[in-house]
Amino acid sequence: MKKNRNANIELIRIFACLTVIALHTWVGSGIDEVPVYLKGVIRVFEKHGVPLFFMIMGFWLFSSDKSYLQKVKETIYRILIPSLIALYCYFIFGDWVIGNRDFWDCIIRQKSYVILLQSILRGDGSAFYANHLWFVFEYIKVIIWLPILELLCINDKKHNVIRRFYMLVCSIFILFTNFFYLPNEILVQEGMAFSLKNYSLINIYILYVLIGYEFHEQYFSDGFLKRYCEQRSGRREIISFGVYILCNLGICVEEFLCIKWDIRSEYYYESSFLYVISTSAIFIFFMCLNLRHVKVNNLIIYVADKTFYIYLLHYIFTKYIACHDRIEFFEDGGILLSLIKYVFCVFANFFLSLFIASFLKSVCRLVSGARHYLLKEEGTRV
């Protein structure tokens, strides 16, 4: 196993990656044939991916001994540069992927680079079919605010109280926004709608980061999470998974009401208070799993190491499937075959992206190794 890699956390990373791909794949997988209520249930269970990624980020981010500049440098090399390369590829070849232009036409007649610059500054790649890259810019925001967040994440009684009060205020604002969202829809008609969470002290994704840090402290300092994970095997998993299911069913009920009344609901998004609870519950569920087999753990870590690159790549195949309908053999098969087609597309997308990500990382490793060898040879000659 790789040093300082926790197989439980890496398994959460894989699960999060799969849910993100599932969420993005349903449009082109034939799930549009499924009744709207069943579609709502499926989507509710697919929305935990990004919150889980931010929890994982918070779990490790503040425990590192690296300086702020080292963390920024690491973010630039491991996150920003690959994301900008991916963004540029979507910018050049996005129209070819969806079938609007042919391959060589995309290369010869490129779009205005002003559009690319505007997308980077906005943190949005939707202008050329890279909507999913918003996550990268949210990640970078957390890194930018890291020095301030670190003031709250000091293992000290005073700072613990401040951090937890900070998280409590944010949770209360989100909770009130959720419960008053339906009557708030009436105010939309009068132009008077407001969202309490807009006045809270914290961004929802930073809240997930702080929850992740809180779990880290409770796990490695013999806190409640460590004690909970040491309970009798089976019971702990049932409780945490049960909370996850119950919260998601609560979101489903709200979603059904919103479908019936044709309104949008904040329960449907990561800023829902129930999503915060259910995401925390599924995180704890994975932490409770007893992963002792070394080979299995090594496989989990190997796959998890590629999840960010899978995230960057998968949208190409999602868009291609959605725009070209390349899975006709599952057409007109009813609800069951539509769901089979959907699951097939999710896992095919995941493993194809994993294969390409592994290949690209191997190439980069070879190039880096060759460069290091040449520099060493050059130094030896001198």
Side-chain angles (χ1 to χ4, degrees):
M1 290 174 59
K2 293 184 181 180
K3 189 178 180 181
N4 296 329
R5 300 293 288 269
N6 183 298
N8 295 76
I9 294 293
E10 300 310 305
L11 188 58
I12 297 172
R13 202 187 299 275
I14 294 172
F15 174 78
C17 186
L18 274 169
T19 57
V20 168
I21 294 175
L23 182 64
H24 292 161
T25 302
W26 76 275
V27 176
S29 66
I31 201 172
D32 49 309
E33 300 170 9
V34 173
V36 64
Y37 290 103
L38 181 55
K39 187 191 303 183
V41 171
I42 292 171
R43 291 203 64 184
V44 163
F45 280 85
E46 293 171 342
K47 295 289 288 184
H48 299 85
V50 169
L52 283 172
F53 277 130
F54 280 107
M55 278 191 181
I56 294 169
M57 181 186 188
F59 193 87
W60 293 122
L61 187 63
F62 304 100
S63 61
S64 172
D65 294 330
K66 296 176 182 176
S67 68
Y68 177 64
L69 290 178
Q70 286 176 313
K71 290 177 180 177
V72 169
K73 185 179 178 180
E74 189 175 85
T75 301
I76 291 172
Y77 281 109
R78 297 185 59 187
I79 304 295
L80 183 58
I81 291 177
S83 300
L84 291 178
I85 292 172
L87 190 63
Y88 182 74
C89 291
Y90 282 105
F91 170 73
I92 298 295
F93 299 111
D95 284 325
W96 170 67
V97 170
I98 68 168
N100 284 350
R101 298 164 65 190
D102 63 50
F103 182 84
W104 294 111
D105 187 50
C106 288
I107 296 176
I108 296 168
R109 293 192 300 161
Q110 296 183 11
K111 298 176 183 178
S112 169
Y113 280 85
V114 174
I115 300 174
L116 179 61
L117 181 60
Q118 289 174 340
S119 295
I120 293 172
L121 294 176
R122 286 199 314 266
D124 175 25
S126 57
F128 29 88
Y129 323 111
N131 312 54
H132 65 304
L133 294 182
W134 67 269
F135 164 76
V136 174
F137 295 98
E138 289 292 336
Y139 185 101
I140 291 170
K141 285 180 189 177
V142 175
I143 297 298
I144 290 172
W145 287 104
L146 185 57
I148 294 175
L149 294 176
E150 284 181 331
L151 296 176
L152 297 175
C153 297
I154 299 172
N155 196 14
D156 174 79
K157 184 176 180 180
K158 178 182 176 182
H159 287 83
N160 287 346
V161 170
I162 295 172
R163 180 178 68 253
R164 289 166 189 171
F165 176 76
Y166 192 58
M167 295 165 65
L168 177 64
V169 169
C170 181
S171 299
I172 290 172
F173 272 61
I174 292 170
L175 180 64
F176 274 94
T177 296
N178 292 162
F179 277 107
F180 287 103
Y181 197 81
L182 295 180
N184 208 36
E185 283 289 321
I186 300 172
L187 297 177
V188 170
Q189 314 290 332
E190 309 298 328
M192 297 186 296
F194 66 98
S195 178
L196 281 170
K197 69 180 172 59
N198 291 341
Y199 298 92
S200 67
L201 305 173
I202 196 169
N203 175 287
I204 182 63
Y205 298 112
I206 295 180
L207 175 61
Y208 283 117
V209 169
L210 292 179
I211 292 173
Y213 172 75
E214 195 69 37
F215 283 157
H216 177 276
E217 290 303 296
Q218 294 297 326
Y219 187 77
F220 288 105
S221 62
D222 292 326
F224 83 89
L225 184 56
K226 184 69 171 179
R227 294 193 298 272
Y228 182 80
C229 291
E230 290 175 348
Q231 288 184 20
R232 189 178 62 190
S233 181
R235 179 187 174 190
R236 61 196 183 192
E237 290 90 345
I238 291 171
I239 293 173
S240 51
F241 194 74
V243 172
Y244 166 73
I245 295 294
L246 286 174
C247 287
N248 283 344
L249 290 177
I251 300 167
C252 289
V253 170
E254 177 66 18
E255 180 57 25
F256 294 159
L257 294 176
C258 292
I259 291 173
K260 182 178 179 180
W261 296 333
D262 193 27
I263 61 174
R264 286 183 56 180
S265 169
E266 299 239 339
Y267 277 95
Y268 202 47
Y269 301 95
E270 296 95 336
S271 53
S272 160
F273 186 75
L274 286 178
Y275 262 122
V276 174
I277 298 174
S278 61
T279 305
S280 301
I282 197 64
F283 189 99
I284 293 172
F285 168 78
F286 279 108
M287 290 299 295
C288 290
L289 296 179
N290 193 7
L291 302 176
R292 291 185 177 180
H293 199 288
V294 175
K295 290 184 178 179
V296 172
N297 289 356
N298 283 334
L299 178 61
I300 290 171
I301 291 169
Y302 173 81
V303 174
D305 191 48
K306 313 294 187 299
T307 50
F308 179 68
Y309 301 97
I310 292 172
Y311 178 85
L312 295 180
L313 290 166
H314 82 276
Y315 216 66
I316 298 172
F317 308 113
T318 299
K319 281 293 181 184
Y320 187 78
I321 291 170
C323 297
H324 294 272
D325 194 20
R326 297 295 184 185
I327 44 178
E328 294 92 345
F329 56 91
F330 273 132
E331 268 189 345
D332 302 323
I335 295 175
L336 180 59
L337 277 183
S338 293
L339 292 174
I340 292 173
K341 177 169 66 172
Y342 168 63
V343 174
F344 170 81
C345 288
V346 170
F347 282 94
N349 195 339
F350 179 83
F351 285 110
L352 184 57
S353 300
L354 173 62
F355 174 78
I356 296 173
S358 300
F359 174 76
L360 292 176
K361 286 204 77 173
S362 298
V363 171
C364 291
R365 197 176 293 114
L366 286 172
V367 171
S368 177
R371 180 174 174 272
H372 179 73
Y373 174 78
L374 291 172
L375 288 172
K376 188 177 179 181
E377 286 290 309
E378 181 105 9
T380 305
R381 285 196 202 111
V382 173

